[in-house]
Amino acid sequence: MMITQETSSPRVQANRVGLTRSDYRGLPSTLCQGCGHNAIANQIISAMYELDVVPEKVVKFSGIGCSSKSPTYFLSRSFGFNGLHGRMPSLALGALFADMSLKGIGVSGDGDTASIGMGQFKHLVRRNLPMMYIVENNGVYGLTKGQFSATAEKGLSLKRQGINPYMPIDICLEALVANATFVARSFAGDPKQVKEILKAAFSHRGIAVIDIISPCVTFHNQENSLHSYAWGKDHEMPLHDITFVPPREEIYIEDFEEGTVREVELHDGSVIMLKKLDHDYDPTNLFEALRVLEEAKQNNWLITGIIYVNPQAPTIFDAYDLPAEPLNRLTEDRLRPPRESLEHLNQIFGA
Amino acid sequence: MITPQISSPLKEQEARSPIINDFCITVATVNGSGSATSNGILLRALFTMGIPVSGKNIFPSNIQGLPTWYSIRLSRKGYLGRIETDDIIVAMNPATFLQDLNYLVPGGVLFYDDSIKVNIPREDIVTYPMPVKQIVRQADVPANLRDYVANMVYVGVVAQMLNIDLQAVQRALAVHFKGKQKAIDSNWAIIKAAADWAAANLEKRDPYRVEPMPAPANRILIDGNTAGALGAVYGGFQLAAWYPITPASSFAEALGEYAPELRKDPITGKHTFAIIQAEDELAAAGMAIGAGWAGLRAMASTSGPGFSLMAEYLGLAYFAEVPVVIWDIQRVGPSTGLPTRTAQGDLTFAYFLGHGDTQYVILLPGNVNECFEMGWRAFDIAERLQTPVLVLSDLDLGMNMHIGEPFEYPDTPMDRGKVLWEEDLERFLAEHQGQWGRYLDVDGDGIPYRTLPGNTHPRSAYFARGTGHDEFARYSEEPEIWERNLKRIARKMENARTLVPKPVLQTHPGAQIGIIAYGSTDPAIQEARDLLLEKGMAIDFLRLRALPFTEEVAEFLRGHAHVYVVELNRDGQMHQLLTMAYPEYATRLRSVAHVDGLPLTARWVVERIAAMEGLR
């Protein structure tokens, strides 16, 4: 199902904004060898390169934890802010008001999002801030050496921690009930799918939540555990085969067998091509999305793919009457009301 | 609390000389009954007549049903602090009727709703019953509005009996209801009917009355929260985040009321700001700090409990060097405390806020004009220093109406600080051997240059963080780098001393002792100084307007045998900070501090200082 003609290796070729893949790199990772987060950082680099993104138009955000370190491992030419534990959403929201043409990439973890940051996460989602919000979900606290996180399954046994007594939190369900406009789940061991989802999420106009199962090789990679490579490789159940088609590219429909593909057009004209697998899955149907997540939860299924998307929902910026020009470039003459206006106020408040 | 007045029968025939423009009226009503409007009308009418006047709302943490009081003080001499006794009481609340009478001075006046059937235990006062129900019933007001306008009865009766200009009352109505004729008419109908009733049925038996005064032109009447919000509007605030909390909500609401008109972009007609009600104060601080980092003039307004939540984020802003302005409209803590009462109890918390070594620039507005000025100036200081600026107001200053001078247009252009856009960065690199570092001190003042998201120069981006970092914003755990950075930030903060508003000094020839105070206590202290002078005690007064301390403070301490530090908190927090900053003068400093939730009174200050001086 070739869609575009790639004539030479993308890794050395300059993309449409004149940059090579290495221009999207970051510093070397300081995470563990084999950490799922590194695989995700690599797919972010590829996705940004293939989407012809100008790095200076991206702002990276993160909270605290292993996952939150990773924004330094990609897009060195983008601004970034590694903020507080669980508080990345508010930081990103304030910052992106400065220039609505910038695109946010947030990287969080299951502790950062589903525990300390649950409140801010859900409020960010309900405000539909245009940004890609990645949760690198491994079910465990890595930097503090192996405690249960809120996404760890009940009954999970971890060295020194005993058995997890609590029910897990499903990040995709939390996002959906908070009115998320794009919800996806993926698996770090499925880089191809991760990359296509990243492209679609980045192109979505609104909040795009991606829950990526990203195994912790040091503290939590037991074969029988939901958050391990082995389990993921054996149990991943993709909802569909995803191909992201940027707006400028033509879709050769003959590449797809008729009736086997769903298309979802995003706000910018790009199209998500979803090839049917076992069942036909409609990611624009909220009830289906809720049903499939609940079903997966009850059966311990790792379903992956684009679970829900609503490309046309208004964003937080639509609720404000702001100039198109970046607010942070406005000068004093446009920010300080004229002298006469104050004289008028003095009269109103006067005797 | 004061002790009940001892009752001795009032000799009605005894001629009492008139008391003009120098008394206190307290209106006792039920919360949620619309009395705030009536009280505001009385206050504004007196203000319009040129009389120095202040209004203090003592209200419960409640929406409807609990007792509330409003004290209006008229002072010919311009003393506008709270006083503890009432000359006139307007009793509309049966629940507090007897208790309220305890505050009435001998010879004082009681206006009361005649439906309150209580034996009045005082014979030394003048009483005027008001047939509230009857007047409301007879006035031409729709039945469904009667409850809301009943409190206008006392406006009419009191105006008539005290000689308050009814035209001034009418003008106050028009201001209050912003020209909405229907509301003006229905309220005016009651006021007029009540005034006519009083003229026909009440015989004046008390000495209190008002007279117009030739007031200085162009005074204004406004609350501190609105004044501060307008200051922020003229300071070019671009993002304000908040979470509802008494007594700070009206600050953000004033932004929402005035900014849409005042802050239309002259080019596109669009708004040049965003106001966001956050999910909590953690998020409000986060939004403001994200915006400040990205180059917006950003702020949040809150009170103590919210300020506690913001501590986490402000530590990040201090260390990542992000400009942001936070208004703390102080109420009484600790904990939920007294949410509707005033205090100056957040000072040391604000100064030391956060774990690790931190310090903050704190502005201390003492009146509505300073609320306005600090409203815009705070942004200049924050952006110049790339650090949080905390403005500590309080409930008394923020929510009560105060007389002020007309607001002055900012006298300096905006200072956006050391910001490098594309061409600036290009030039900077050319001038500095191709080197720019976000936290690199090239000017020797500890203040580095910053770039902002959206800058398309390929060298502009950096990664901000709350973790250890070097001059180029790279992660670092190196001991020398850590210490060097933290010391540079301390050096940077030293610049604040030249940027913050200087204290206000008032001297008296030959004074050996001094008072240091700050914020909303100013009117009480002005009055206390005069009262102490009458007792033969001349006192100089230094009113602080900011932290860190400027050189004038040391000079003041050097020049006085001892200095009373007067404030509204238990522990004498400014006294503590002064003691730390000036250990050499520690023995000269004497703490005069208390907190009971009410605004400071001159009487209390005089009593305490006289006692400490051994005066009688």
Side-chain angles (χ1 to χ4, degrees):
Chain A
M1 45 180 264
M2 274 291 291
I3 291 168
T4 55
Q5 297 79 30
E6 301 271 1
T7 49
S8 61
S9 165
R11 285 162 194 275
V12 291
Q13 197 186 49
N15 62 12
R16 284 164 206 255
V17 292
L19 301 177
T20 63
R21 193 176 179 280
S22 67
D23 290 315
Y24 295 85
R25 287 215 182 102
L27 298 170
S29 171
T30 59
L31 299 174
C32 306
Q33 282 283 335
C35 177
H37 304 356
N38 290 335
I40 297 166
N42 272 327
Q43 294 315 312
I44 294 173
I45 291 167
S46 295
M48 295 301 114
Y49 164 71
E50 290 173 24
L51 285 175
D52 307 314
V53 168
V54 176
E56 285 78 15
K57 299 301 279 183
V58 175
V59 190
K60 304 173 289 181
F61 300 97
S62 61
I64 294 294
C66 293
S67 59
S68 296
K69 285 169 170 272
S70 72
T72 44
Y73 312 144
F74 58 86
L75 294 180
S76 278
R77 283 174 49 176
S78 301
F79 279 81
F81 202 147
N82 174 204
L84 297 173
H85 200 14
R87 319 284 182 237
M88 175 253 279
S90 57
L91 192 76
L93 188 143
L96 290 174
F97 263 89
D99 182 343
M100 294 186 292
S101 72
L102 300 177
K103 196 84 198 211
I105 298 179
V107 182
S108 180
D110 37 318
D112 198 62
T113 288
S115 285
I116 191 169
M118 182 66 103
Q120 293 214 351
F121 169 65
K122 297 199 69 148
H123 284 273
L124 180 76
V125 166
R126 78 181 254 264
R127 293 191 172 99
N128 202 25
L129 180 75
M131 78 178 283
M132 178 161 84
Y133 188 106
I134 301 164
V135 184
E136 298 179 339
N137 182 355
N138 56 18
V140 72
Y141 286 83
L143 276 179
T144 52
K145 305 210 185 294
Q147 297 82 9
F148 296 118
S149 90
T151 60
E153 61 266 38
K154 186 177 178 181
L156 175 69
S157 173
L158 282 181
K159 204 159 67 178
R160 291 212 302 269
Q161 304 300 319
I163 293 172
N164 179 26
Y166 307 123
M167 289 295 287
I169 282 169
D170 184 318
I171 287 165
C172 291
L173 266 175
E174 296 296 339
L176 264 188
V177 298
N179 294 311
T181 55
F182 184 111
V183 178
R185 174 168 287 152
S186 192
F187 170 50
D190 183 356
K192 182 183 162 296
Q193 189 201 51
V194 168
K195 187 173 78 177
E196 294 305 301
I197 289 179
L198 286 170
K199 287 182 184 175
F202 189 83
S203 305
H204 173 64
R205 184 177 181 270
I207 187 77
V209 177
I210 318 172
D211 177 24
I212 307 181
I213 304 303
S214 177
C216 172
V217 292
T218 302
F219 293 108
H220 182 198
N221 196 22
Q222 309 168 37
E223 279 184 25
N224 60 342
S225 158
L226 279 171
H227 295 90
S228 71
Y229 278 119
W231 203 90
K233 293 247 187 253
D234 290 348
H235 293 82
E236 186 191 357
M237 297 170 64
L239 292 167
H240 34 227
D241 198 17
I242 304 166
T243 306
F244 177 82
V245 185
R248 59 179 182 278
E249 287 176 16
E250 216 173 311
I251 298 165
Y252 295 91
I253 206 71
E254 58 268 27
D255 288 338
F256 296 96
E257 196 183 317
E258 206 183 318
T260 63
V261 168
R262 276 188 179 274
E263 294 177 24
V264 180
E265 188 174 344
L266 297 181
H267 194 270
D268 64 354
S270 55
V271 176
I272 310 170
M273 307 291 289
L274 301 169
K275 191 175 171 206
K276 289 176 199 173
L277 296 175
D278 295 348
H279 306 283
D280 182 18
Y281 180 73
D282 176 7
T284 63
N285 183 333
L286 179 62
F287 293 98
E288 258 308 278
L290 288 165
R291 191 195 60 75
V292 83
L293 281 173
E294 188 58 37
E295 192 180 25
K297 194 170 99 179
Q298 288 182 17
N299 294 290
N300 269 357
W301 293 343
L302 173 58
I303 56 152
T304 61
I306 295 172
I307 293 163
Y308 180 69
V309 57
N310 173 4
Q312 303 304 333
T315 74
I316 185 172
F317 298 135
D318 295 330
Y320 291 82
D321 189 25
L322 300 170
E325 236 172 303
L327 272 188
N328 69 359
R329 290 186 189 253
L330 297 186
T331 44
E332 175 167 356
D333 49 316
R334 297 170 73 177
L335 295 177
R336 176 164 284 168
R339 192 176 287 271
E340 314 79 72
S341 64
L342 189 61
E343 285 159 14
H344 178 64
L345 283 176
N346 280 328
Q347 274 174 11
I348 291 175
F349 293 111
Chain B
M1 286 292 144
I2 57 148
T3 49
Q5 300 292 333
I6 297 153
S7 197
S8 64
L10 178 69
K11 291 172 195 150
E12 294 222 0
Q13 308 310 322
E14 189 181 306
R16 295 173 70 193
S17 51
I19 300 171
I20 299 163
N21 296 353
D22 196 16
F23 51 88
C24 177
I25 311 171
T26 289
V27 182
T29 52
V30 178
N31 201 34
S33 67
S35 54
T37 304
S38 303
N39 300 331
I41 301 292
L42 275 178
L43 184 76
R44 184 163 285 280
L46 294 165
F47 163 72
T48 306
M49 292 176 72
I51 303 163
V53 68
S54 66
K56 305 262 181 240
N57 191 11
I58 311 294
F59 62 108
S61 180
N62 161 260
I63 292 172
Q64 207 169 49
L66 289 184
T68 181
W69 297 269
Y70 192 76
S71 291
I72 297 174
R73 182 177 182 187
L74 295 75
S75 172
R76 225 165 351 109
K77 294 180 186 163
Y79 296 134
L80 296 177
R82 186 175 73 89
I83 49 174
E84 289 147 331
T85 54
D86 299 315
D87 301 285
I88 298 171
I89 285 178
V90 181
M92 301 292 285
N93 185 0
T96 61
F97 188 82
L98 290 172
Q99 182 201 334
D100 293 338
L101 284 180
N102 290 341
Y103 294 88
L104 195 56
V105 298
V109 177
L110 172 69
F111 294 95
Y112 66 101
D113 182 340
D114 70 356
S115 68
I116 301 174
K117 306 293 185 200
V118 180
N119 282 332
I120 296 166
R122 301 259 313 251
E123 293 176 6
D124 60 339
I125 57 173
V126 178
T127 58
Y128 298 119
M130 300 179 291
V132 174
K133 285 205 171 66
Q134 178 200 324
I135 292 171
V136 170
R137 205 166 41 235
Q138 287 170 3
D140 181 23
V141 174
N144 61 334
L145 290 177
R146 281 181 191 163
D147 282 350
Y148 297 99
V149 295
N151 279 316
M152 289 296 160
V153 169
Y154 68 74
V155 175
V157 173
V158 169
Q160 175 65 32
M161 297 305 284
L162 297 182
N163 206 27
I164 297 172
D165 181 3
L166 283 178
Q167 281 187 346
V169 173
Q170 222 170 359
R171 277 207 298 281
L173 269 178
V175 171
H176 181 88
F177 289 107
K178 301 194 160 79
K180 281 175 224 137
Q181 204 55 45
K182 205 173 160 191
I184 296 169
D185 289 347
S186 54
N187 284 285
W188 175 246
I190 297 282
I191 293 170
K192 186 70 172 59
D196 290 347
W197 175 87
N201 295 284
L202 294 180
E203 182 200 343
K204 176 89 173 165
R205 288 174 285 129
D206 68 85
Y208 300 101
R209 58 189 171 86
V210 305
E211 277 178 9
M213 283 174 68
N218 301 326
R219 294 165 320 146
I220 60 170
L221 184 68
I222 195 169
D223 61 279
N225 282 352
T226 303
L230 285 171
V233 167
Y234 282 81
F237 91 95
Q238 293 169 289
L239 187 136
W242 66 296
Y243 182 76
I245 187 168
T246 305
S249 297
S250 61
F251 193 110
E253 286 161 357
L255 288 175
E257 182 175 352
Y258 293 99
E261 271 306 306
L262 289 164
R263 290 288 301 283
K264 278 203 178 104
D265 179 13
I267 296 172
T268 62
K270 304 274 188 181
H271 291 159
T272 58
F273 65 90
I275 301 169
I276 306 170
Q277 185 182 323
E279 57 268 35
D280 56 33
E281 290 90 346
L282 298 170
M287 290 172 188
I289 286 162
W293 172 70
L296 299 186
R297 296 204 131 185
M299 63 172 295
S301 46
T302 188
S303 187
F307 200 41
S308 288
L309 292 183
M310 292 183 179
E312 181 190 47
Y313 242 122
L314 285 167
L316 174 67
Y318 173 80
F319 187 58
E321 303 185 51
V322 176
V324 67
V325 174
I326 310 287
W327 280 73
D328 173 18
I329 316 300
Q330 297 169 93
R331 64 189 217 186
V332 181
S335 190
T336 308
L338 299 173
T340 60
R341 301 295 158 86
T342 201
Q344 297 178 315
D346 297 350
L347 186 72
T348 46
F349 175 60
Y351 195 64
F352 296 112
L353 195 90
H355 53 274
D357 295 302
T358 60
Q359 64 207 120
Y360 296 91
V361 176
I362 295 175
L363 304 185
L364 302 164
N367 52 54
V368 289
N369 289 89
E370 289 177 0
C371 285
F372 179 81
E373 183 183 338
M374 291 176 187
W376 60 265
R377 201 181 285 285
F379 290 112
D380 291 348
I381 299 171
E383 289 192 330
R384 170 54 49 184
L385 293 177
Q386 302 174 18
T387 202
V389 171
L390 314 177
V391 191
L392 265 57
S393 176
D394 63 31
L395 181 143
D396 180 22
L397 178 56
M399 286 188 75
N400 285 321
M401 302 290 272
H402 303 268
I403 292 179
E405 306 288 315
F407 292 139
E408 281 176 33
Y409 197 73
D411 56 0
T412 49
M414 282 183 190
D415 181 0
R416 303 304 306 261
K418 298 183 186 179
V419 172
L420 302 173
W421 282 107
E422 288 83 351
E423 306 79 49
D424 312 317
L425 180 57
E426 193 58 40
R427 201 161 44 240
F428 186 98
L429 290 169
E431 288 166 3
H432 295 86
Q433 294 80 48
Q435 200 179 58
W436 164 76
R438 168 65 185 92
Y439 299 111
L440 189 63
D441 177 16
V442 291
D443 297 335
D445 57 2
I447 309 174
Y449 286 79
R450 62 184 190 132
T451 53
L452 304 176
N455 188 325
T456 54
H457 194 292
R459 297 275 307 275
S460 66
Y462 71 98
F463 197 74
R465 46 166 43 105
T467 43
H469 47 260
D470 68 6
E471 285 79 355
F472 298 89
R474 295 176 297 217
Y475 182 77
S476 166
E477 298 177 0
E478 288 296 317
E480 301 79 31
I481 289 175
W482 173 265
E483 191 158 29
R484 191 165 73 217
N485 186 40
L486 211 61
K487 284 185 168 172
R488 177 191 54 77
I489 296 176
R491 205 166 68 240
K492 175 184 85 163
M493 297 303 288
E494 279 301 304
N495 294 292
R497 295 182 203 277
T498 62
L499 297 172
V500 296
K502 291 183 183 307
V504 177
L505 177 65
Q506 290 175 298
T507 57
H508 194 278
Q512 300 294 310
I513 60 176
I515 288 178
I516 287 180
Y518 54 97
S520 67
T521 58
D522 186 46
I525 294 190
Q526 298 293 349
E527 186 176 2
R529 277 181 78 217
D530 289 357
L531 293 171
L532 285 163
L533 191 62
E534 286 171 17
K535 289 177 186 278
M537 196 177 156
I539 305 189
D540 291 342
F541 176 29
L542 188 78
R543 183 164 62 81
L544 298 171
R545 298 197 295 168
L547 290 166
F549 298 121
T550 51
E551 55 186 347
E552 294 81 2
V553 182
E555 213 172 289
F556 189 78
L557 294 177
R558 204 159 36 237
H560 293 88
H562 51 265
V563 173
Y564 294 95
V565 185
V566 184
E567 52 196 316
L568 277 180
N569 52 57
R570 183 190 68 182
D571 293 341
Q573 298 184 8
M574 187 64 89
H575 177 264
Q576 292 173 342
L577 296 181
L578 286 162
T579 305
M580 279 179 54
Y582 303 103
E584 65 274 35
Y585 299 123
T587 54
R588 298 185 182 193
L589 292 164
R590 299 179 180 181
S591 179
V592 179
H594 91 134
V595 59
D596 61 0
L598 300 174
L600 192 67
T601 65
R603 188 197 61 80
W604 187 84
V605 176
V606 168
E607 249 176 38
R608 289 307 303 265
I609 291 182
M612 290 167 90
E613 287 289 317
L615 291 180
R616 294 181 51 221

